Amino acid sequence: MIRLTFALLACLLPVAATAQFTDDFADGDFTSNPAWTGDTERFAVVPFEADFVLRSDGLAESDTIALATPSTTAFGTWRFRFRFEDNLTTGKGTRVYLVANTDDLKGEVQGYYVQIGTNNSDEIRLYRQDGAATDRTELGDGLADLVTGDAGDVVVEVTRDGLGLWTVSANPDAAGPSFTATDDTYAASTHVGIWLKHTAAAGQAFFWDDIEASPSLTDTTPPRVEQVLTENPTSLLVLFSESLSAAPASGFVVDGVIVPASATIAGASDTAVRLSFAEPFPNGDYTLAVSDVADLAGNVIAPNTEVPFAVAFDAEPPVLVSANAEDPLRVDVRFSEPVAEPDAAAFEIDGGIGAPVMVEPLLGGDNRDWGLILATPLADNTAYVLTARGIEDLAGNVQPETSVAFFFGTPAVPAPGDIVVNEVMYDPPSDASDEYVELFNRTERAFDLSQFVLADATAASRIADAPTFLLPGGYAVLVRDSAAFAAAFPAVPFVEVAPWRALNNGGDEVTLLFQPTDDDAPVEIDQVPYQSSWGGMDAALERIDPEGPSTSASNFATTTDPRGGTPGAQNSTFA
């Protein structure tokens, strides 16, 4: 008989917390009273020794199967009987989850389980799982030599007290061996369950019986704050280590003065509190002090428990980074961040092309890349300007009207000096992530940057992995970090180069190479062997004359622009 009993002392907990359920499988069913969920087609209730047991009903293939049922028990006694009719060598074994925060026992779980078999064929072990199946910690020493041979059974009993002391015993009625361990990481549960790994020949060789779970109220550990999440600028979600019975708004204070307008216990397991505030928080770092929060056993959190948290909501509008066309009836565009699905009317192409007839997301683009389907075909070897307006990112920030140029046709083959390194931000004033290199096209021809490589003195990276045109007289800004650059220079189109070769502050060689494929020999188009003495400390190093030499310090100077650089525009030192 399999029996699960969950009982709490009515005098100490609310009535809802004392509900009991039992499932002895005598009705031959495990899908109701209570309902077990998971791989229900891979288990069956079958007769066994004048009673019924739960048996694995796996396919004739190696597989992992599992069942779970709701349970909020995290302290008390668990007991079950496990029978095996095939040896527990590598590839076969069971886990009985005592405490779990999910019904998906094959996914990421936070909780505890007893493992029998699998990689330790004759051992019974206790584990804490902290997410993925591989992210686990063994607790205690385990019990060996108890499930050997080709068939057998064992009764396992596990207890946990309020201080986190675990005791695992095998065949306790016969005074079998036991071991202890201490762990109080997880103090709440939503499910118990059964997990099995079997081989092709052993899908129906395992049984579970006589399971009992008896909660106790020996919990003397107060709740802990696990994490503070910012849901939006006026709402915080405070996650606790266990279910709560009380969480007054007066028990929460931000930075010593800000009290929420309301505090509501949230979540299916009552382990979270949602705080709502009258005024939004500006982006920044804060401290939440917590008091008067109690768990179901009446344990109260330590007064003025302080937890740091940060508010960092997206306040920057998206940037139209680039456009390129490989087909006369299609233009692919990229934004600096994911955007909400744009309307076709938000785009317009000059030269009589007009608005696209349809906009579709590009596969794998993460809503940053979109394809514009045109009604009028692009003319060959022609430059166009695409204008976008009113595009929103996923936070609702609206992009100002922005235009980018693109080229449809066959790219030209450059000669040395056709494209020059026009500006280098090698020593950003604040964050090294703001490094960038600006290129300038000195010719009347268009070039495809995916055929070029950017290098320093030690290594090189291809500039783009898709056609990206640099138009006649145009600029291309190559950046190390798209988010950092967009924040420093809003609305400036750029190309993110990965991997980025960090530029040395003391001096380096910024080299542009033409190399259409990795099998082609690279051709140097331009090289700037800068030194810190040329300028560019805490600001961009600008080329003074695009027609002047790349190797002379006299043709370079520190920008005079108050932004610290002029990416995508004529240099402040131009002469």
Side-chain angles (χ1 to χ4, degrees), residues 123-398:
E123 296 195 6
I124 299 173
R125 294 175 177 262
L126 177 67
Y127 285 94
R128 185 190 76 233
Q129 185 169 334
D130 299 307
T134 55
D135 190 6
R136 65 178 188 172
T137 301
E138 183 179 354
L139 306 177
D141 296 330
L143 300 173
D145 301 324
L146 294 171
V147 286
T148 58
D150 293 332
D153 60 67
V154 63
V155 174
V156 177
E157 182 177 274
V158 183
T159 63
R160 182 195 189 188
D161 67 17
L163 299 178
L165 176 64
W166 296 80
T167 302
V168 180
S169 304
N171 301 320
D173 297 336
S178 64
F179 69 91
T180 60
T182 301
D183 190 278
D184 64 351
T185 303
Y186 301 117
S189 177
T190 63
H191 290 82
V192 296
I194 294 167
W195 176 102
L196 175 71
K197 181 178 182 180
H198 68 78
T199 59
Q204 299 180 358
F206 304 99
F207 306 81
W208 298 264
D209 198 3
D210 296 331
I211 300 178
E212 299 177 359
S214 303
S216 66
L217 282 179
T218 56
D219 177 12
T220 60
T221 303
R224 302 187 309 273
V225 178
E226 299 283 358
Q227 192 175 8
V228 178
L229 304 176
T230 50
E231 294 186 305
N232 57 60
T234 61
S235 177
L236 302 179
L237 192 65
V238 187
L239 306 183
F240 288 86
S241 58
E242 57 181 308
S243 298
L244 305 177
S245 64
S250 60
F252 301 87
V253 181
V254 176
D255 284 355
V257 294
I258 307 173
V259 178
S262 65
T264 306
I265 296 179
S269 58
D270 298 333
T271 58
V273 175
R274 179 170 286 106
L275 305 179
S276 298
F277 295 84
E279 299 294 333
F281 288 101
N283 287 352
D285 296 324
Y286 299 88
T287 299
L288 176 68
V290 184
S291 303
D292 301 328
V293 174
D295 63 17
L296 297 178
N299 302 304
V300 180
I301 196 169
N304 296 314
T305 296
E306 293 190 345
V307 184
F309 69 95
V311 176
F313 287 99
D314 179 11
E316 297 294 333
V319 176
L320 177 61
V321 173
S322 64
N324 92 89
E326 298 182 61
D327 184 284
L329 291 174
R330 180 188 183 96
V331 177
D332 293 336
V333 298
R334 164 164 286 195
F335 291 89
S336 59
E337 60 179 308
V339 299
E341 183 173 356
D343 189 276
F347 300 94
E348 184 177 358
I349 301 174
D350 70 349
I353 303 300
V357 295
M358 186 173 67
V359 179
E360 60 183 17
L362 299 188
L363 184 63
D366 189 29
N367 280 12
R368 292 194 306 160
D369 300 297
W370 300 81
L372 311 182
I373 309 304
L374 309 180
T376 303
L378 302 170
D380 195 28
N381 292 321
T382 303
Y384 292 92
V385 175
L386 168 70
T387 300
R389 57 183 66 86
I391 308 297
E392 293 188 5
D393 64 16
L394 302 185
N397 301 304
V398 180

Side-chain angles (χ1 to χ4, degrees), residues 84-89 92 121-122 145-152:
F84 56 99
E85 294 185 353
D86 199 336
N87 61 79
L88 291 169
T89 57
K92 288 171 282 187
S121 60
D122 62 350
D145 301 324
L146 294 171
V147 286
T148 58
D150 293 332

Side-chain angles (χ1 to χ4, degrees), residues 59-91:
L59 301 175
E61 59 186 37
S62 296
D63 200 3
T64 300
I65 57 179
L67 289 178
T69 193
S71 166
T72 59
T73 298
F75 299 88
T77 301
W78 295 262
R79 185 182 174 102
F80 63 91
R81 179 185 177 190
F82 174 64
R83 178 171 179 79
F84 56 99
E85 294 185 353
D86 199 336
N87 61 79
L88 291 169
T89 57
T90 299

